Structures are given as structure tokens and as C-alpha cells.
Amino acid sequence: MTQPEPGTVVVTDAGSGRYTQHVGTATHEFLADEPASAGGDDAGPTPYDLLLAALGTCTAMTVRMYADRKGIPLVRTEVRLRHDRVHARDCERCETETGMLSRIIREISFLGDLDSAQRAKLAEIAEKCPVHRTLSHEIVIETHAV
């Protein structure tokens, strides 16, 4: 497989397991899979693990960039994420009123000698990470079968 151009991700069957996929970017390669309980070989993170990882890494990077720029003494950020589905009627902040919705629960811990105002500002900045914004807005996925 040739290396994709920057900004492109190529996913192909890895050939080693029923669901195992080879993921390639311009500079990295790794496997994704389903757990054994779902018929996979557990050779890599699941698709939802990767989605949560994208949000978590973007969150931590965005917070780090802001803290560095503002001289906030942030030592480390830990982001814990979970994905589940909930009934729309149980969601207070959602526009959709019927059916099921995906929900991501994100818990962020800031380590460092931070006051409450700095912690609040870092939590506010976390909401502005680009992946968060992408997932929070309407997404159009265009599929072209070739």
C-alpha cells in the first residue's frame, strides 16, 4: 500500500482477522479491530475507541496549547471518555426529542498548581477543541463508491 497524502486516512482489510483493519496515514500505521466478544481478534482499538481517542487527544492538546500560551502552570491533563446511547427524551440539552442519541461523557482532570479560575478557563477552552466542534455540529459525509 502506498502512503496516503497528508490529511488522508486509508483503511483496508488487514487480512489477518475477520474484522481487523489496517489504518494508514501519511506518517503512521496501526490496526483497528473488534473485541473477541464481537467476533474480532482484538488486534487494535475499536472504531468507537478511535472516535473517543480523537476527541480526547484534541481536548488535551487544545488545553495544553492554551495553558502554554497563557503561562498557566498545567502539569498534565487526563481526559476520560465513554460512549453510550440514551433515549432522546432523557436528554435535557438536546434538540432531538424522539429515538436514541449517541452520548459521549468526557471527564477532564487538570494536574498542577491551578486556582479555581484557571481550572474553569481550561474547562471552557476544552469545549473549543476542533474535534469537539466537529462532533457537535452537523456533519455531512459524502460517500463515493469507485
Side-chain angles (χ1 to χ4, degrees), residues 41-54:
D41 289 341
D42 199 23
T46 69
Y48 276 105
D49 290 342
L50 295 171
L51 177 70
L52 294 176

Side-chain angles (χ1 to χ4, degrees), residues 1 3-4 10 22-30:
M1 174 175 104
Q3 290 298 110
V10 177
H22 176 268
V23 181
T25 71
T27 56
H28 301 282
E29 297 181 32
F30 61 93

Side-chain angles (χ1 to χ4, degrees), residues 23-144:
V23 181
T25 71
T27 56
H28 301 282
E29 297 181 32
F30 61 93
L31 296 176
D33 203 352
E34 288 292 342
S37 62
D41 289 341
D42 199 23
T46 69
Y48 276 105
D49 290 342
L50 295 171
L51 177 70
L52 294 176
L55 177 59
T57 56
C58 184
T59 299
M61 290 173 184
T62 300
V63 166
R64 167 57 57 202
M65 287 178 200
Y66 181 85
D68 288 352
R69 193 171 60 247
K70 298 296 185 177
I72 295 173
L74 176 67
V75 173
R76 191 179 87 209
T77 301
E78 180 178 291
V79 184
R80 292 184 167 271
L81 301 115
R82 291 186 310 280
H83 171 264
D84 63 8
R85 295 185 45 80
V86 296
H87 289 283
R89 67 177 175 268
D90 296 332
C91 182
E92 296 175 9
R93 299 181 312 174
C94 301
E95 293 177 19
T96 304
E97 296 178 4
T98 60
M100 297 293 285
L101 300 171
S102 281
R103 173 176 65 177
I104 296 174
I105 299 169
R106 177 175 58 178
E107 298 171 352
I108 308 170
S109 299
F110 303 117
L111 179 64
D113 187 20
L114 308 169
D115 61 34
S116 59
Q118 289 169 323
R119 289 179 184 281
K121 188 62 177 180
L122 293 176
E124 178 186 327
I125 293 302
E127 298 287 315
K128 297 179 180 187
C129 96
V131 172
H132 179 126
R133 288 181 173 190
T134 297
L135 292 173
S136 299
H137 292 88
E138 183 175 356
I139 301 172
V140 176
I141 299 173
E142 295 182 13
T143 302
H144 304 273

